[in-house]
Amino acid sequence: MLMPSQAFATASVDEEKNAVHYAAFGDSLAAGVLSDNTIGLSYTDYIAQDLQRVDLLGSYEKPYAVPGATSQDMLTALMDRDMQIKIASKDMITITIGANDFLQVLSKEPERLQDPEEVKKIITELSENYVSIMSIIRSVNPSAEIYLMGYYNGFYAFPEAQQRPLVEIMQTVNSIIKQISTDSNSHYVPTYDAISTDSLTYLPNPKNVHPSPAGYMAIADEFWKQVKLNLPTNVTRIAGANRYETAVKISQEGWAEHAQGVVIARGDDFPDALAGAPLAYDLDSPILLTHTNALDQIVKDEVERLDPEFAILLGGEQALSKDVEDALEEMGIPVERIAGADRFETAAMIAATLPHSNKAVIANGMKFPDALAIASYAAENTYPILLAKQNELPDETAGMLKRYPESIAVGGTAVLSEDLFNKLPKAKRYGGADRYETASIIAMELNPSHKALVSTGLEYADALTGSVLAAKRDSSFLLVDPNKMQDSVVEAKEKLGIYHFTILGGPKAVSPLIERQLIGVE
């Protein structure tokens, strides 16, 4: 009974991706009985959805979720060897059992609950059964994270005189469950206060103790507050032999079968590509990189696989030669080129192709980190990225800005001066002491997620091509030094509760040391 539980083991960088194998046990609340007595989604289903949302759900099942089940019923079920084998394979278990020990008596022999000795007898039997349930589970699975649900007040609509003794019994049941959770090194999840905050919404049928969908969601939220503290961290890597191959692998990850189009940029310099992420995301197209004078074979092969309806080249012929354009047209792909006289005009031309929004992003166009730190957020919201110099707003940028009533300035005063900031329409600045802190601030304040893509902050290529994938996955985006973990990145990880990191690029771009530190292994 008192066998120690261990938290999820932290995987090393060489192990397979962590996944949570989740099983739910219990009564009608685990089964998902609604306030009209139909079956819907239980709190357990919403927990499974939360795990899926953070890419951690390995499997989910309800080996025992039986409306009307008592603690004795569940204990009997757990004595089956096949059931114990299932339990042994799980990383996480939730349990809701015990209320029916009283509710069945209430419906059949209500007078028994008026006798203190009878109530004591039921409580004793419940306690013994629950202890035995946890003893069986812990004997076959000492390391699973187990969450025991406390019950809410399902009798709020009863007259006070009738309600009081029932509530006292439920609170006694909860105290038993709480103590058993402590003794079995499990987690007690209270729901009483959460449901009582809005009983009419969460328990809309005063003659039925079962929740509405909103009630089940509220219960799942109480579980998630504790579950998220005990989840493993996964780190995966998308990497090729060089930036061109990494871009292809990012494309294959995000567009497994087909892409509407492809956006192609020069692979050895950043100016024309800085503003490309919102365009690529809006067109559901990956960004691929190639050399200036030719369409690399690996890129040609990926374009053939994607079978796009069009290709867009970012930059003039000095960035991507006519040979690149001709190679695509020979493949039967219509080509459009977006090219201004300089990076500022190119960014403005890209902005002109996007659906209208009320907000534009302004970043320093002479440096790449800040524009790429916000690229996935801008892409997901279809905000254009317009470029400036530290103290100068180019005419093309100023002209395009007239279309937008609000703006976001990216970076501190060292990259966008205060004088320039004051010229921007209804601007808000997001900037840190360096590129890493700026990216972390953007992730925490603008683009929070339990998932994050991670790229080196010293080169632009992986961040550029990965930004569209981050937007597609609704993930945060962080920049790191290849060999040194910044405090700002750790802060973002902890504040956002990031459980899944996808590193872009090989070990020279982001070292194994950073990979281990993201997982939590020093």
Side-chain angles (χ1 to χ4, degrees), residues 160-179:
E160 179 65 24
Q162 295 180 23
Q163 181 182 163
R164 188 183 306 110
L166 295 173
V167 169
E168 289 176 357
I169 289 172
M170 200 56 61
Q171 290 176 336
T172 299
V173 171
N174 285 343
S175 67
I176 291 171
I177 296 172
K178 185 175 183 179
Q179 184 60 52

Side-chain angles (χ1 to χ4, degrees), residues 1 9 40 55 65 87 98 123 130 147 152 174 187 222 240 242 292 321 340 365 455:
M1 181 62 194
D55 288 341
I87 293 170
I123 288 175
Y130 217 134
Y147 301 85
Y152 50 83
N174 285 343
H187 309 278
E222 295 306 301
N242 52 44
T292 296
S321 70
S455 172

Side-chain angles (χ1 to χ4, degrees), residues 233-423:
T233 300
N234 283 320
V235 175
T236 56
R237 188 184 288 267
I238 303 174
N242 52 44
R243 63 184 61 189
Y244 305 96
E245 187 176 344
T246 295
V248 167
K249 289 186 177 296
I250 290 171
S251 172
Q252 292 169 348
E253 183 77 16
W255 293 263
E257 297 181 0
H258 169 72
Q260 181 179 340
V262 291
V263 175
I264 298 178
R266 177 179 180 176
D268 61 353
D269 206 1
F270 64 85
D272 293 314
L274 273 185
L279 172 66
Y281 179 78
D282 182 56
L283 298 175
D284 193 20
S285 304
I287 296 177
L288 299 174
L289 305 177
T290 191
H291 287 89
T292 296
N293 296 320
L295 186 67
D296 291 15
Q297 186 61 48
I298 189 174
V299 179
K300 183 177 181 180
D301 292 343
E302 178 62 5
V303 171
E304 288 179 345
R305 185 192 70 81
L306 291 168
D307 190 24
E309 300 168 19
F310 57 83
I312 295 177
L313 305 184
L314 299 181
E317 292 187 9
Q318 289 186 335
L320 294 171
S321 70
K322 187 67 165 57
D323 289 341
V324 174
E325 186 174 345
D326 291 343
L328 290 164
E329 290 179 341
E330 288 172 6
M331 296 169 66
I333 301 172
V335 178
E336 178 184 351
R337 187 186 290 268
I338 300 178
D342 55 27
R343 65 193 69 186
F344 306 103
E345 186 177 4
T346 297
M349 293 175 69
I350 291 172
T353 70
L354 296 174
H356 183 68
S357 66
N358 292 324
K359 194 173 294 186
V361 172
I362 312 298
N364 190 311
M366 309 308 293
K367 304 174 183 180
F368 62 83
D370 293 333
L372 295 180
I374 202 167
S376 63
Y377 171 75
E380 194 169 355
N381 291 277
T382 325
Y383 296 156
I385 299 174
L386 299 173
L387 304 179
K389 298 179 181 179
Q390 180 187 4
N391 298 297
E392 179 184 343
L393 203 61
D395 292 341
E396 298 82 2
T397 301
M400 185 58 64
L401 267 179
K402 293 178 180 179
R403 302 186 183 187
Y404 301 95
E406 299 179 40
S407 60
I408 295 173
V410 188
T413 55
V415 290
L416 294 175
S417 69
E418 196 63 27
D419 286 343
L420 184 143
F421 175 81
N422 291 331
K423 297 176 183 177

Side-chain angles (χ1 to χ4, degrees), residues 50 55 74 76 171 181 239 242-243 266 272 459 518 522:
D50 285 333
D55 288 341
M74 183 170 169
T76 301
Q171 290 176 336
S181 71
N242 52 44
R243 63 184 61 189
R266 177 179 180 176
D272 293 314
E459 297 286 347
L518 289 173
E522 295 297 332

